[in-house]
Amino acid sequence: MLRDPDAAQGRFDLLLAFRQNRLELRSVDSSVLSPICVDFLLGSTAQRAARQHMGKQPLAVAIGLRKGCTSVVDATAGLGNDAFMLAALGCSVTAVERCSVLAALLDDGLSRAIADGGLQTRPVAERINLVGADARAFLAGLSTADAPDAIYLDPMFTPRRKKVAVNKVMQLTRKLAGDDADAPELLEIARRIAKKRVVVKRHRLAPPLAPDPAGEHAGKMVRYDVYLPING
Ligand SMILES: C[S@@+](CC[C@H](N)C(=O)[O-])C[C@H]1O[C@@H](n2cnc3c(N)ncnc32)[C@H](O)[C@@H]1O
C-alpha cells in the first residue's frame, strides 16, 4: 500500500484508494478522470429503482419477471448497475465479475448500501450475492438444482464507428477488463445452464451476439436479446 499518493506518479496509471469510507478508483493524473466508486445510495440507480411500473421496463420483460423468472445470474456484473436494477425488480441475483478491481469496487458499494441504505436500498442490495470468478467456470460448476431461471449478459460493447459516444466510466472499465472477446462462448455455456432463458444486452444498433434470438426488447439506447436454453 502506498501511504503517499504522490509516490504513484509515473509508476502507475490508476490507483485503488480508500478515502472517506469508500473504495475509489482514481487516475494518478487527476485531470484525466474523476474518481469512480460504486454508490447505490445516491444518483440515478436508486432513483430509478424507486420508480413505479418497473415491471413494464424492457429489462423486466426480457428477463421474464411475469413468467416467473426470479433467480438470475448476472454473469458480467461490472459495476453492478444492472444487477441492482434486477434486484430492485425483486429478483435474487448472483452477480459474477472476473476483474478483481471491479469486483472490489462493487463489493464495497454493496457493503455500504447494506450498512447505510434505508428501507428502499438495503433490501435490494441484500438480494445480490457477489462472486469474484470467471462466469464460464462458475456456471459450468453449478448443479442442476442451483441453476438459475435466467442468466443475464452485458459483455463489453466495442463500437464500430468512432462517433458512438462511450462514457468515461465505460472507457475505464474496458481498460481494466478488456474487450470480452469470449462473450460468444459465455453465451453458449449460459444457454446450457439457464432453466428458462438467457438475456443479452446490446447497443440498440449492434448485431446480436449469436444468430436468431427468440425475442428482442428495445429500450431507447439498448436492446435486450432473449435466447432459449439449449438442452442436452
Ligand atoms: C459492460 S461491463 C458490464 C456492466 C454491468 N452490466 C453494469 O451494469 O455495470 C462487462 C463486464 O463483464 C465482465 N465479464 C465479461 N466476461 C466475463 C466472464 N466470463 N466472467 C465474469 N465477468 C465477465 C467484464 O470484466 C466487465 O466488467
Side-chain angles (χ1 to χ4, degrees):
M1 183 194 287
L2 293 172
R3 295 202 181 277
D4 174 13
D6 288 342
Q9 288 285 355
R11 291 173 60 196
F12 308 101
D13 292 336
L14 300 168
L15 277 181
L16 202 51
F18 195 70
R19 288 168 65 101
Q20 294 172 340
N21 211 27
R22 65 185 201 178
L23 195 63
E24 337 179 299
L25 186 65
R26 31 178 65 232
S27 173
V28 171
D29 175 358
S30 56
S31 65
V32 174
L33 196 72
S34 46
I36 288 175
C37 74
V38 174
D39 198 341
F40 296 118
L41 303 171
L42 296 169
S44 60
T45 313
Q47 284 163 11
R48 279 161 65 205
R51 274 194 211 140
Q52 299 293 311
H53 307 307
M54 284 185 55
K56 290 183 181 165
Q57 287 184 12
L59 174 61
V61 179
I63 214 73
L65 200 65
R66 290 192 175 169
K67 295 184 176 165
C69 291
T70 53
S71 63
V72 180
V73 171
D74 177 349
T76 55
L79 295 176
N81 294 300
D82 292 328
F84 194 85
M85 288 305 294
L86 288 163
L89 289 167
C91 299
S92 73
V93 181
T94 301
V96 189
E97 175 51 55
R98 67 180 167 187
C99 170
S100 48
V101 172
L102 297 178
L105 290 167
L106 178 52
D107 188 36
D108 176 65
L110 287 171
S111 302
R112 276 180 293 106
I114 289 168
D116 306 331
L119 285 177
Q120 210 165 56
T121 304
R122 182 182 298 131
V124 175
E126 284 175 339
R127 282 198 283 279
I128 301 175
N129 176 34
L130 175 63
V131 176
D134 190 308
R136 292 171 297 172
F138 174 79
L139 291 173
L142 286 179
S143 66
T144 312
D146 288 334
D149 295 324
I151 297 175
Y152 179 78
L153 308 181
D154 173 20
M156 214 61 86
F157 164 67
T158 311
R160 287 193 187 158
R161 289 178 299 129
K162 284 195 178 147
K163 274 188 186 166
V164 174
V166 179
N167 69 35
K168 289 200 170 172
V169 176
M170 281 302 295
Q171 286 174 26
L172 184 71
T173 320
R174 176 173 298 120
K175 194 170 177 179
L176 281 168
D179 265 344
D180 295 347
D182 50 8
E185 184 193 346
L186 178 58
L187 172 57
E188 169 88 17
I189 295 169
R191 291 184 71 185
R192 295 190 185 281
I193 303 296
K195 281 191 199 144
K196 297 181 179 170
R197 58 179 63 197
V198 178
V199 175
V200 182
K201 181 179 177 182
R202 304 292 281 163
H203 186 274
R204 194 171 56 84
L205 302 175
L209 191 57
D212 303 325
E216 60 176 68
H217 303 272
K220 269 189 199 153
M221 298 296 292
V222 299
R223 191 183 76 238
Y224 300 100
D225 293 339
V226 179
Y227 295 87
L228 298 179
I230 302 169
N231 297 314

